[in-house]
Amino acid sequence: MALWVGWLRCGKVRRLGIPTVADRVVQAALKLVLEPIFEAVFEPVSYGFRPMRRAHDAIAEIQRFGTKGYRWVLDADIEACFDSISHTALMDRVRARVKDKRVLALVKAFLKAGVLTELGYQEDSFAGTPQGGILSPLLANIALSVLDEHVHGPWRPGGIMSTPSRRARRRGKNLPNWRIVRYADDFVVLVHGDRQDVEALREDIVHVLEPLGLRFSEAKTRILHMDEAFDFLGFRIQWKRKRGTDKWYVYTFIADRPIRSLKDKIRALTSRLSQQRPRDVLIRLNQIMRGWAHYFRHAVCQHTLDALENFVWWRVIYWWKKLHRWNWRDVPRRPPGPTGRWRRPAADGIELFNIASVPVTRYRYRGIKIPNPWITPDHA
């Protein structure tokens, strides 16, 4: 069963699947059966909800190919992807590799689960995979693998872009090369060519998505050069000149939206009217900041982390000043500790996490070295 729920970021509603415990067990078992079958044939250009792959691999792929000249970008957004996937097209993809009718019946049953309206009535489902289910990400990857196969097809062995020499020969003839990078329903296509080549590729992809019941969001899909910067998976990617030199590089920064989101969470926890226990607030703040910083620590972000550290320190101090009715002489910048450094704000043994202390490191590109647990290497 699924529910229509509001989506605050854009003011729309979408289907959220809320499986019962029994359904979760069945979906998990079904995923164990289907995942090895399809992972063995998925293309290496998709990174979302797949074993041994992560968002940082997708960002590293974009950075690598951008450095090699693939700087025209189709920044694509599929409108309501999870809600619009054609059941017929998806089941055809599943039937192509699964012949057991019992498994097919289970997949179809989950796809056809109805939607519970606000009035308590059940509506039938004719398209889409409800978000929230264990099986939904895998089904979405199965459907969108059509896109991967079409766009990445020239890179397969024997294809027109399969070797560096063939790609160089195409560029010598003023023909474009391209590379798709997909994470679930978010994807970009990097093109080594010009704007007209990207526009032609966009129209080609429209025809690929049409049988799946999918289409681009006209408001969010755009064509741009990498020096204009674009956001992907929370990162802002831009080709720009290195300060103080004439050399240009592809940089990854933290996008504005994740920074605003983190600040909003910090503000909500440190409201000056809050009567929560400082210890509980520090625990929650530390959890949020530690997870956020470790996700973004591979970006060019030391300055951003320093600014956030200053921001959260003052939020906590202003809140405690109001909570305990301190004046500025009571603010706990207590005498320095044994190391000579100022002691950080702490409550009942919990110290405020220093987000600026997270080391900023470069994420190493893995490419074809990413292991696939479902493919047996050929030792012959």
mmCIF file of all heavy atoms in Angstrom, residues 244-259:
data_model
loop_
_atom_site.group_PDB
_atom_site.id
_atom_site.type_symbol
_atom_site.label_atom_id
_atom_site.label_comp_id
_atom_site.label_asym_id
_atom_site.label_seq_id
_atom_site.Cartn_x
_atom_site.Cartn_y
_atom_site.Cartn_z
ATOM 1 N N GLY A 244 45.835 32.299 -9.148
ATOM 2 C CA GLY A 244 47.259 32.605 -9.218
ATOM 3 C C GLY A 244 47.992 31.936 -10.360
ATOM 4 O O GLY A 244 49.208 32.087 -10.482
ATOM 5 N N THR A 245 47.278 31.192 -11.202
ATOM 6 C CA THR A 245 47.907 30.511 -12.333
ATOM 7 C C THR A 245 47.044 30.694 -13.579
ATOM 8 O O THR A 245 45.940 31.243 -13.523
ATOM 9 C CB THR A 245 48.082 29.004 -12.065
ATOM 10 O OG1 THR A 245 46.793 28.367 -12.102
ATOM 11 C CG2 THR A 245 48.732 28.753 -10.707
ATOM 12 N N ASP A 246 47.551 30.198 -14.700
ATOM 13 C CA ASP A 246 46.788 30.194 -15.949
ATOM 14 C C ASP A 246 46.234 28.809 -16.266
ATOM 15 O O ASP A 246 45.737 28.577 -17.368
ATOM 16 C CB ASP A 246 47.672 30.664 -17.107
ATOM 17 C CG ASP A 246 48.057 32.138 -16.976
ATOM 18 O OD1 ASP A 246 47.234 32.896 -16.421
ATOM 19 O OD2 ASP A 246 49.163 32.500 -17.409
ATOM 20 N N LYS A 247 46.306 27.898 -15.316
ATOM 21 C CA LYS A 247 45.849 26.532 -15.529
ATOM 22 C C LYS A 247 44.403 26.376 -15.061
ATOM 23 O O LYS A 247 43.991 26.952 -14.053
ATOM 24 C CB LYS A 247 46.753 25.546 -14.779
ATOM 25 C CG LYS A 247 48.194 25.537 -15.288
ATOM 26 C CD LYS A 247 49.028 24.509 -14.542
ATOM 27 C CE LYS A 247 50.454 24.477 -15.086
ATOM 28 N NZ LYS A 247 51.304 23.477 -14.367
ATOM 29 N N TRP A 248 43.652 25.546 -15.814
ATOM 30 C CA TRP A 248 42.241 25.317 -15.517
ATOM 31 C C TRP A 248 42.041 23.867 -15.082
ATOM 32 O O TRP A 248 42.648 22.948 -15.634
ATOM 33 C CB TRP A 248 41.379 25.613 -16.745
ATOM 34 C CG TRP A 248 41.295 27.069 -17.065
ATOM 35 C CD1 TRP A 248 42.315 27.896 -17.456
ATOM 36 C CD2 TRP A 248 40.123 27.891 -17.026
ATOM 37 N NE1 TRP A 248 41.866 29.172 -17.665
ATOM 38 C CE2 TRP A 248 40.519 29.204 -17.408
ATOM 39 C CE3 TRP A 248 38.789 27.653 -16.710
ATOM 40 C CZ2 TRP A 248 39.619 30.261 -17.476
ATOM 41 C CZ3 TRP A 248 37.890 28.699 -16.785
ATOM 42 C CH2 TRP A 248 38.303 29.984 -17.157
ATOM 43 N N TYR A 249 41.154 23.684 -14.079
ATOM 44 C CA TYR A 249 40.886 22.353 -13.546
ATOM 45 C C TYR A 249 39.385 22.213 -13.282
ATOM 46 O O TYR A 249 38.653 23.206 -13.187
ATOM 47 C CB TYR A 249 41.647 22.114 -12.239
ATOM 48 C CG TYR A 249 43.151 22.189 -12.361
ATOM 49 C CD1 TYR A 249 43.835 23.364 -12.099
ATOM 50 C CD2 TYR A 249 43.896 21.073 -12.744
ATOM 51 C CE1 TYR A 249 45.208 23.444 -12.208
ATOM 52 C CE2 TYR A 249 45.275 21.137 -12.849
ATOM 53 C CZ TYR A 249 45.923 22.321 -12.578
ATOM 54 O OH TYR A 249 47.290 22.386 -12.692
ATOM 55 N N VAL A 250 38.940 20.964 -13.140
ATOM 56 C CA VAL A 250 37.557 20.684 -12.740
ATOM 57 C C VAL A 250 37.539 20.551 -11.222
ATOM 58 O O VAL A 250 38.197 19.677 -10.653
ATOM 59 C CB VAL A 250 37.032 19.395 -13.397
ATOM 60 C CG1 VAL A 250 35.614 19.105 -12.916
ATOM 61 C CG2 VAL A 250 37.062 19.514 -14.914
ATOM 62 N N TYR A 251 36.790 21.428 -10.567
ATOM 63 C CA TYR A 251 36.712 21.454 -9.114
ATOM 64 C C TYR A 251 35.342 20.966 -8.651
ATOM 65 O O TYR A 251 34.330 21.159 -9.341
ATOM 66 C CB TYR A 251 36.928 22.869 -8.577
ATOM 67 C CG TYR A 251 38.351 23.385 -8.693
ATOM 68 C CD1 TYR A 251 38.745 24.138 -9.796
ATOM 69 C CD2 TYR A 251 39.286 23.118 -7.698
ATOM 70 C CE1 TYR A 251 40.042 24.626 -9.908
ATOM 71 C CE2 TYR A 251 40.590 23.601 -7.794
ATOM 72 C CZ TYR A 251 40.958 24.345 -8.897
ATOM 73 O OH TYR A 251 42.242 24.819 -9.003
ATOM 74 N N THR A 252 35.318 20.364 -7.488
ATOM 75 C CA THR A 252 34.041 20.000 -6.845
ATOM 76 C C THR A 252 33.937 20.759 -5.530
ATOM 77 O O THR A 252 34.818 20.669 -4.670
ATOM 78 C CB THR A 252 33.957 18.489 -6.576
ATOM 79 O OG1 THR A 252 35.067 18.082 -5.764
ATOM 80 C CG2 THR A 252 33.977 17.706 -7.869
ATOM 81 N N PHE A 253 32.877 21.525 -5.412
ATOM 82 C CA PHE A 253 32.589 22.279 -4.194
ATOM 83 C C PHE A 253 31.303 21.722 -3.577
ATOM 84 O O PHE A 253 30.650 20.853 -4.158
ATOM 85 C CB PHE A 253 32.409 23.765 -4.503
ATOM 86 C CG PHE A 253 33.571 24.391 -5.220
ATOM 87 C CD1 PHE A 253 33.557 24.546 -6.603
ATOM 88 C CD2 PHE A 253 34.683 24.830 -4.528
ATOM 89 C CE1 PHE A 253 34.620 25.120 -7.273
ATOM 90 C CE2 PHE A 253 35.757 25.411 -5.180
ATOM 91 C CZ PHE A 253 35.729 25.558 -6.557
ATOM 92 N N ILE A 254 30.945 22.229 -2.420
ATOM 93 C CA ILE A 254 29.660 21.878 -1.815
ATOM 94 C C ILE A 254 28.606 22.825 -2.367
ATOM 95 O O ILE A 254 28.803 24.047 -2.384
ATOM 96 C CB ILE A 254 29.718 21.978 -0.286
ATOM 97 C CG1 ILE A 254 30.851 21.111 0.268
ATOM 98 C CG2 ILE A 254 28.388 21.543 0.329
ATOM 99 C CD1 ILE A 254 31.024 21.207 1.777
ATOM 100 N N ALA A 255 27.499 22.282 -2.830
ATOM 101 C CA ALA A 255 26.422 23.112 -3.381
ATOM 102 C C ALA A 255 25.770 23.948 -2.278
ATOM 103 O O ALA A 255 25.930 23.677 -1.082
ATOM 104 C CB ALA A 255 25.385 22.236 -4.078
ATOM 105 N N ASP A 256 25.027 24.954 -2.679
ATOM 106 C CA ASP A 256 24.406 25.853 -1.703
ATOM 107 C C ASP A 256 23.297 25.177 -0.905
ATOM 108 O O ASP A 256 23.140 25.428 0.293
ATOM 109 C CB ASP A 256 23.827 27.081 -2.411
ATOM 110 C CG ASP A 256 24.910 27.976 -2.986
ATOM 111 O OD1 ASP A 256 26.052 27.920 -2.476
ATOM 112 O OD2 ASP A 256 24.624 28.716 -3.952
ATOM 113 N N ARG A 257 22.538 24.305 -1.559
ATOM 114 C CA ARG A 257 21.382 23.703 -0.881
ATOM 115 C C ARG A 257 21.772 22.862 0.332
ATOM 116 O O ARG A 257 21.155 23.001 1.396
ATOM 117 C CB ARG A 257 20.560 22.871 -1.873
ATOM 118 C CG ARG A 257 19.337 22.217 -1.239
ATOM 119 C CD ARG A 257 18.573 21.383 -2.229
ATOM 120 N NE ARG A 257 17.890 22.200 -3.207
ATOM 121 C CZ ARG A 257 17.261 21.709 -4.263
ATOM 122 N NH1 ARG A 257 17.265 20.401 -4.490
ATOM 123 N NH2 ARG A 257 16.640 22.502 -5.108
ATOM 124 N N PRO A 258 22.779 21.975 0.256
ATOM 125 C CA PRO A 258 23.155 21.217 1.464
ATOM 126 C C PRO A 258 23.638 22.109 2.609
ATOM 127 O O PRO A 258 23.389 21.797 3.779
ATOM 128 C CB PRO A 258 24.277 20.300 0.971
ATOM 129 C CG PRO A 258 24.089 20.203 -0.497
ATOM 130 C CD PRO A 258 23.536 21.516 -0.922
ATOM 131 N N ILE A 259 24.302 23.215 2.275
ATOM 132 C CA ILE A 259 24.761 24.128 3.328
ATOM 133 C C ILE A 259 23.558 24.784 4.002
ATOM 134 O O ILE A 259 23.490 24.876 5.242
ATOM 135 C CB ILE A 259 25.712 25.181 2.738
ATOM 136 C CG1 ILE A 259 26.979 24.508 2.189
ATOM 137 C CG2 ILE A 259 26.088 26.220 3.788
ATOM 138 C CD1 ILE A 259 27.907 25.452 1.463
#
